[in-house]
Every structure is written in structure tokens, then in C-alpha cells.
Amino acid sequence: MRKIVYMEWVKLKPRAKYEIGGSGVIPVKIDEWPEAREFIDINDFNLYGYRPLVQQIARRYDVDPKQVVTAPGTSMANYLAYAALVRGGDEVLIEKPAYEPLLSVAKLLGARITRFARPFRRGFEIDLDDLASKLTSKTRLIVLTNMHNPSGMLSSNDVLRKIGRLAARVGAHVLVDEVYLDFLFERRPRSAVHLGDNFVVTSSLTKVYGFDGLRCGWTLASPKLAEAMWRLQDFYGVNGAIPAEKISTAVLENIERFEQRTRLGIEANRKLIDRFIAAHAGQLKWVPPDGGPVCFPQLRGPEDGSQLAERLYRDYSTRIIPGKFFEMPKHFRLGFGGDPAILKAGLARLSRALSQPRLS
């Protein structure tokens, strides 16, 4: 049976009291936005996209509505992009380290996977020379995250533009998962969808704004490719759930409100993380993220990230994400988008675990 190992682990492992590995922010509750009840309806016309939602996304990105495909979260948006572009035996070039589901989808579709490097020693920057050396006439898709998951590092549009030109030489597309990009707020660069017709971009309301439950994701692509993805949707979900899509439309209409909510939380929590890493410089190395709610420290001692995570979970009811899910076992992902009190308590327990290392 094919499966995504990370998804199985994160869904089935019992929750810890202190969850400090996640990559989102505190979920929005209805009491924070009581007027949302006014937007709930049962039925409306939403074949090939609920039009008000599609139009809101198009306005936000300054694209034609024909370039917008809505989907249940970024995961399905990524799947639609893969499925529209990749056939069995095609080559897909994926960043390393990578978010494991990006690899699993390519495997599910029967693609041949090649990797290009984002080395820790270079601050997780994309190695363009390595990428160029891996391209062949069979490469159909280049896949990356921006900001990078798990490190939180930003690739400039100049770098992405170069990748687009390299891809064009072999007739390939570039898929850029931008689900973390809005964490840069006013520093956010223009979406990569504007860099050329061979760019495909995915994102959602889940990570930055605290609306995971709405499952509102989208893909931005050329009109021709977007049409192909809508046809694929006929196999998977036909159309979206109207209550969720109507509320998602209202969220986009009021996005500044939720952006400010996230900004205040992230800025306060980032200070906690910076102090924590500085206090444990003898035990951890890191690349400070350009933004967002995650970082990816490396352990200096004999333990790997999985051993530390198990010990932390077992002895301190605290959970981080082991680096094995990102192909770097000496690392772990630390999330700081949640409740400051939970983060502070979780970091205190992580500090105790780091000060008493032992292999188990």
C-alpha cells in the first residue's frame, strides 16, 4: 500500500501536551470572528470553482480568473499540478531537503525522481549549478518550496527566474509551493506565477491565517494548464463545499485582519526562538529563517533528531518533528506559530532534554 509516511506519523501519533513542531499558527475560532456565521450557506453554484472565491484569489495575485484552480488545501493543489504535468517515467527534479509529501506524490504517479541540493552549509540556498547539471530532455517538472520547508529560507525571484529559464530549455514547468510566503507580510515578493508561463504556484489559507479547517487551497497556472487541472478535479471532488468556500471568500475580503493577528504572534514567538537557539549554541547549529513559523536546527551531539524527538515525547510530553522526514536525520523542525505559553513551556522542556543527552 502506498502511503505518505510523514502524514501517517503526524496523524496517528498521540498528541503531546506541548506541540512545538508544527508549521501553522493558532487556529481562528468562531468567537474571534462571529460575523462569519453570516456567510454560511448550504448550496450555491460552484461548478469549476465558486466564482466569488476564484475572483478574490485572482485579485489578490493580479492574475486572470482563468488561471485559478481551487482545491482542498495546498496538498491537493500540489497533487493537481503534478497530475496535470507528469506521466509514468517522466523525470521530476525535487529540492533536497524536501517536505516528504512532495516526493511521495511523484512516486505515486510513477515519476523518476532526481534531486537538486539546498545545502545546510550554504544556508539552504538552491545550488543552481547542481540543478542545471541534473536537467535532461525527460525532465517535466522542477519542484521547490518558497519559503523553504523546513528551513524557512527565501529564494529570490532572480533565482527563480533563472530556474524558469533552465526549465524552459527542456520544456519543463516549475512548481513553487508558496504556502509560507505570506509570512513575510509587507516584505513578500510578487508571486512566482508572474515569472513565466512555465511556472505553477500553489498556496492556501491554512498555514499563515489559521483557517486549516476551511481546506481552502489553490493553484495558479497558465489558462491552458488550469483548465486541465479543473478536468482532473472531476475525478477527485467534482466541486468544493459551499459553506467552506463562502467563508473562505470572506476571509480573503478581510485578509488584513488575520494577517495582523498572525504577525503579532509570530514576532513575539520569534524572539523566544532566537533567545533559545543562542542559549544552546553549544548543542545546536541553525540557519536563522527569513520568516515564517519554522526553523530547522542541527544537533551537534551524538543523538539524531528522531532519538531526541522520541526522548522528548516520552519524558517531557513535548513534540518536535524529526529531521528524517526531511532527509536530514541530524536535524529537527521546530515550530513557533502557536500559543506563546505552549511554546515557552515546550522550549523549557526541550532545553532540559538537550542538557541531559543520552542515546536510547
Side-chain angles (χ1 to χ4, degrees):
M1 180 180 68
R2 295 181 181 273
K3 63 183 179 181
I4 298 176
V5 177
Y6 170 74
M7 289 294 186
E8 180 183 65
W9 182 85
V10 81
K11 288 180 177 181
L12 297 183
K13 192 174 182 65
R15 287 187 61 81
K17 184 175 181 179
Y18 304 100
E19 294 280 347
I20 58 170
S23 57
V25 299
I26 301 172
V28 174
K29 303 295 185 184
I30 194 68
D31 291 344
E32 295 181 69
W33 194 31
E35 60 266 39
R37 295 183 176 91
E38 301 171 12
F39 309 122
I40 297 176
D41 203 348
I42 303 301
N43 292 295
D44 204 334
F45 182 81
N46 70 337
L47 304 180
Y48 296 120
Y50 178 55
R51 300 324 297 172
L53 177 58
V54 168
Q55 289 161 5
Q56 279 290 336
I57 296 168
R59 278 195 289 271
R60 179 164 178 78
Y61 286 91
D62 191 25
V63 298
D64 190 306
K66 293 180 180 179
Q67 294 179 254
V68 178
V69 181
T70 54
T74 314
S75 293
M76 179 56 84
N78 283 331
Y79 181 82
L80 288 172
Y82 271 95
L85 291 166
V86 176
R87 301 292 179 267
D90 286 345
E91 291 182 1
V92 177
L93 188 49
I94 304 175
E95 65 188 4
K96 184 176 183 177
Y99 177 55
E100 191 242 341
L102 295 176
L103 295 165
S104 296
V105 171
K107 292 174 184 176
L108 179 67
L109 294 171
R112 296 173 57 190
I113 298 171
T114 311
R115 314 301 300 281
F116 64 92
R118 302 188 68 145
F120 176 56
R121 68 180 183 277
R122 292 177 48 172
F124 293 108
E125 292 180 1
I126 293 171
D127 187 332
L128 289 173
D129 291 335
D130 185 52
L131 189 157
S133 72
K134 304 293 178 57
L135 285 170
T136 76
S137 61
K138 294 184 177 181
T139 303
R140 291 292 171 264
L141 189 62
I142 300 170
V143 182
L144 61 114
T145 53
N146 199 32
M147 293 181 291
H148 181 225
N149 184 13
S151 73
M153 303 308 294
L154 176 70
S155 297
S156 71
N157 276 351
D158 285 342
V159 168
L160 298 181
R161 196 174 287 108
K162 291 175 182 177
I163 293 173
R165 287 197 291 264
L166 289 170
R169 293 178 187 173
V170 296
H173 281 76
V174 183
L175 172 59
V176 185
D177 181 330
E178 293 184 347
V179 74
Y180 295 105
L181 198 60
D182 281 7
F183 278 111
L184 290 174
F185 307 114
E186 74 278 354
R187 297 185 293 121
R188 179 180 61 238
R190 201 173 192 214
S191 171
V193 71
H194 296 287
L195 298 179
D197 285 344
N198 64 337
F199 278 85
V200 186
V201 163
T202 58
S203 192
S204 73
L205 292 176
T206 60
K207 296 297 183 183
V208 180
Y209 301 105
F211 286 99
D212 179 72
L214 293 178
R215 307 311 305 149
C216 177
W218 53 84
T219 307
L220 307 177
S222 68
K224 182 179 180 180
L225 183 55
E227 182 179 358
M229 284 187 270
W230 278 123
R231 299 296 180 256
L232 281 169
Q233 282 278 48
D234 287 343
F235 290 94
Y236 306 131
V238 184
N239 50 32
I242 278 295
E245 296 201 330
K246 294 195 82 164
I247 296 175
S248 297
T249 304
V251 171
L252 287 163
E253 291 171 348
N254 295 272
I255 200 72
E256 293 82 7
R257 171 178 181 171
F258 303 105
E259 190 173 87
Q260 180 65 7
R261 175 186 184 269
T262 295
R263 180 201 298 265
L264 293 173
I266 289 292
E267 288 177 352
N269 285 351
R270 175 60 188 265
K271 293 176 183 177
L272 294 175
I273 292 293
D274 287 345
R275 289 197 295 266
F276 176 83
I277 298 292
H280 293 84
Q283 298 144 314
L284 301 173
K285 294 195 295 184
W286 79 327
V287 178
D290 289 315
V294 296
C295 60
F296 199 49
Q298 182 189 73
L299 289 159
R300 293 181 184 271
E303 279 189 308
D304 66 22
S306 294
Q307 292 165 328
L308 175 63
E310 283 301 315
R311 187 159 60 85
L312 190 62
Y313 179 82
R314 182 189 66 231
D315 298 343
Y316 299 97
S317 191
T318 301
R319 181 154 70 177
I320 54 176
I321 306 300
K324 68 178 181 180
F325 293 117
F326 303 93
E327 310 165 285
M328 298 187 75
K330 287 293 292 183
H331 292 247
F332 62 92
R333 192 179 72 183
L334 189 55
F336 50 95
D339 185 322
I342 295 293
L343 177 62
K344 188 177 292 187
L347 290 177
R349 285 156 178 78
L350 177 56
S351 180
R352 287 159 55 189
L354 288 169
S355 67
Q356 301 171 345
R358 63 183 187 278
L359 296 177
S360 60

